[in-house]
Amino acid sequence: MTDTKPAAVAVEEPAHNEEEHVHGPDCNHDHDHDHDHENPNTEEQKQGQRNDFDLLEINGTKDKTTDPLVKKYFEAKELFAKANERLNEIPEGAEAELVEKHKDEIVSVTKDLMQAFLLDEKACQLNQRILKLAEQYELFVQTNNPEGTSTSTVDSEEEGAEQQTTIYTRDSVIFVIMILWSGGQFEHCIQTLGFAIKEFADIKGRLLELRASCYMALRNFKLCNEDLEEALTIEPVNVDNHSTLGNVYYALHQAQDALHHFKDFVDAAHPDSRTLPNAYYALSVLTLQSAPSGATKKKSHQALKQTAILKEAKEYFTKAQKADERFKELYGVPTGFNEIKATAYQSFQVRTPSRSGLLPNDPDAALLDASEVLKKSFKSPGIASCANCGRADNVANETRSPDQKPKPLLKCAKCNKVAYCSRPCQIAHWNASHKNTCKK
């Protein structure tokens, strides 16, 4: 376990930027600017950004939806704001006498801040006063050994040093997770989350979702998916995890897995879900690419199946457009023209030139042509990620400047069928399994 003392965590003050909203694998809206959606990594961890749900408040439509995720977000936001107001009444400083005098307020505010973070981390904006509260709460725990305190013994990083014993409460561990997550220190956050997942069974599903978001930020899609799949077995009601998994599998060109999760999502999602349009667009594309090829006889089994699949795909596209309209009605902005939506429109609104301009044309023949193109893209996607860890790009890109061309993944020189983000991953995968399956 990493040191779970919040006061000992080195964290920079959250960076603020001028973006008004979040983009991630579920991004499906556009504010007159474009982003690269090729990789399904989320940016929801960045602070200083307005969440999509805040647009409901700006648009005056917050009360026009019963989406439970909207309700949970604003509950978390209100709880967090009220706790911050109470926090401002507590004097700063980590002197023992001051902490003892205000210990009840320190404990109460910490409890509410951590509850808000677990409700919806995107509703919580870390600030310097909260970082100082972490020091005060840590001193309280170490001094008072309150009810619910536990201890953990870990080896020191210094050779020959004695083991260290750490005293912690659930809130002190969640506090560390909040600080690390908010500061973008995802690798350290993953370590602390691993400890918390073992310790706190009652919130395991929520902690798995948080760890999945860290893996997503680090582009380790394999472990991200594993955590989300496990979280769904614990809390099946959190259907937005199906949407996220669908997006990741779609980006990795794993059509059947993507189809499965998007279907599970639309079957259970609230009709006002902000990710519903994207899911329907994805289903239209995924269903279209599954249409059988080469049906020559009109009434053959193959032809009837082909017709049924084309009909289903078109129905998904129509549902996507209706969900798009609802999104704009609620949020006041259209959904973004990301890769999934663009592919859907290219497939379902084939256009032919005429003297009066571009006219929409949607014959089954054109859809079947689009289906064949999609089949090729899903069957031969190239190598989308590291075979060992799931990362989508070369680790060397972390230190390259934006004006330099990104380095590609490292392909296996023998078989050219797998690739890796780094030499260590290549060695690990070779020793684990690839040496037994690699063919020239």
Side-chain angles (χ1 to χ4, degrees):
M1 170 192 172
T2 56
D3 187 357
T4 56
K5 296 181 181 180
V9 176
V11 60
E12 297 179 2
E13 184 176 5
H16 293 267
N17 61 52
E18 296 178 356
E19 292 186 63
E20 291 189 337
H21 56 274
V22 173
H23 284 281
D26 291 334
C27 171
N28 59 0
H29 59 279
D30 185 18
H31 296 198
D32 299 321
H33 59 279
D34 297 320
H35 290 264
D36 178 14
H37 294 277
E38 183 177 348
N39 292 319
N41 53 307
T42 181
E43 294 182 21
E44 292 183 345
Q45 294 83 358
K46 293 183 179 180
Q47 298 297 310
Q49 296 181 340
R50 182 180 297 138
N51 185 271
D52 285 353
F53 293 142
D54 290 322
L55 294 173
L56 295 169
E57 212 162 36
I58 295 170
N59 202 39
T61 52
K62 186 178 77 170
D63 296 330
K64 293 184 178 181
T65 178
T66 56
D67 185 349
L69 289 182
V70 172
K71 181 181 179 182
K72 186 167 71 170
Y73 171 78
F74 284 106
E75 282 180 359
K77 187 176 180 181
E78 183 180 4
L79 180 62
F80 194 83
K82 289 183 176 179
N84 260 299
E85 290 176 4
R86 286 159 37 219
L87 174 59
N88 290 330
E89 297 174 1
I90 301 173
E92 295 185 14
E95 297 81 11
E97 185 177 344
L98 185 151
V99 170
E100 180 63 26
K101 182 178 179 181
H102 297 278
K103 63 182 180 181
D104 291 341
E105 301 100 294
I106 290 170
V107 171
S108 176
V109 169
T110 298
K111 180 181 178 180
D112 285 353
L113 290 175
M114 298 310 104
Q115 184 181 343
F117 179 74
L118 289 174
L119 270 175
D120 191 331
E121 71 279 7
K122 297 179 291 297
C124 307
Q125 299 289 320
L126 190 68
N127 56 51
Q128 283 297 320
R129 181 62 189 94
I130 293 176
L131 289 175
K132 292 177 181 178
L133 173 67
E135 297 180 22
Q136 293 176 319
Y137 183 72
E138 177 65 14
L139 181 58
F140 162 77
V141 171
Q142 301 301 320
T143 304
N144 291 271
N145 197 19
E147 184 179 354
T149 299
S150 302
T151 59
S152 176
T153 303
V154 295
D155 293 327
S156 174
E157 295 181 357
E158 296 181 10
E159 188 176 351
E162 295 182 357
Q163 290 183 322
Q164 297 177 338
T165 299
T166 301
I167 301 174
Y168 64 91
T169 65
R170 187 172 94 162
D171 280 342
S172 69
V173 176
I174 301 303
F175 218 145
V176 173
I177 292 168
M178 178 184 174
I179 292 171
L180 293 172
W181 189 93
S182 300
Q185 299 184 43
F186 301 117
E187 291 181 352
H188 294 299
C189 193
I190 286 168
Q191 294 177 31
T192 307
L193 279 162
F195 170 80
I197 286 167
K198 295 177 182 177
E199 287 289 303
F200 312 122
D202 59 318
I203 54 171
K204 182 177 180 180
R206 183 71 186 99
L207 296 172
L208 284 166
E209 291 174 351
L210 285 168
R211 191 169 69 176
S213 73
C214 293
Y215 283 131
M216 177 80 78
L218 296 173
R219 298 185 180 183
N220 190 333
F221 306 131
K222 179 181 177 182
L223 293 181
C224 169
N225 289 357
E226 288 178 3
D227 274 357
L228 288 177
E229 296 274 14
E230 186 177 355
L232 277 169
T233 65
I234 298 171
E235 298 179 9
V237 294
N238 292 345
V239 295
D240 260 46
N241 289 334
H242 281 299
S243 176
T244 304
L245 282 163
N247 277 285
V248 176
Y249 283 125
Y250 185 103
L252 297 176
H253 299 270
Q254 295 176 228
Q256 288 304 311
D257 289 323
L259 192 67
H260 158 67
H261 282 290
F262 277 128
K263 280 187 174 181
D264 283 350
F265 172 68
V266 300
D267 285 346
H270 189 278
D272 290 343
S273 170
R274 68 183 181 89
T275 60
L276 195 58
N278 182 73
Y280 276 132
Y281 281 124
L283 282 171
S284 70
V285 172
L286 293 164
T287 303
L288 181 60
Q289 67 87 32
S290 70
S293 306
T296 55
K297 296 181 180 181
K298 290 185 177 180
K299 294 186 179 181
S300 66
H301 173 73
Q302 197 81 333
L304 292 173
K305 184 178 179 181
Q306 191 179 76
T307 300
I309 288 177
L310 291 183
K311 180 182 177 182
E312 184 183 10
K314 285 186 281 187
E315 287 174 351
Y316 279 133
F317 185 74
T318 300
K319 289 179 179 179
Q321 292 177 306
K322 290 181 179 178
D324 245 348
E325 292 173 4
R326 178 59 175 164
F327 182 95
K328 187 174 182 180
E329 178 185 337
L330 286 172
Y331 289 87
V333 293
T335 60
F337 217 70
N338 62 12
E339 180 188 352
I340 290 175
K341 185 176 178 179
T343 302
Y345 269 90
Q346 289 167 4
S347 301
F348 288 88
Q349 292 202 343
V350 181
R351 297 180 180 272
T352 55
S354 72
R355 295 184 66 180
S356 59
L358 296 176
L359 300 177
N361 184 22
D362 189 21
D364 282 356
L367 281 179
L368 289 172
D369 288 341
S371 177
E372 295 305 310
V373 173
L374 290 171
K375 282 184 177 68
K376 291 178 182 178
S377 70
F378 277 97
K379 286 183 179 178
S380 304
I383 301 173
S385 60
C386 174
N388 186 58
C389 73
R391 184 185 173 111
D393 68 337
N394 195 310
V395 295
N397 293 328
E398 293 179 354
T399 57
R400 293 173 72 83
S401 62
D403 58 332
Q404 290 181 297
K405 184 177 179 180
K407 283 192 173 184
L409 292 169
L410 306 170
K411 288 186 178 181
C412 174
K414 288 188 175 182
C415 68
N416 210 35
K417 293 181 179 179
V418 294
Y420 305 95
C421 67
S422 64
R423 179 66 175 160
C425 267
Q426 183 176 13
I427 294 171
H429 191 248
W430 175 263
N431 291 330
S433 61
H434 192 53
K435 63 182 177 183
N436 299 319
T437 59
C438 182
K439 296 180 180 179
K440 293 184 179 181

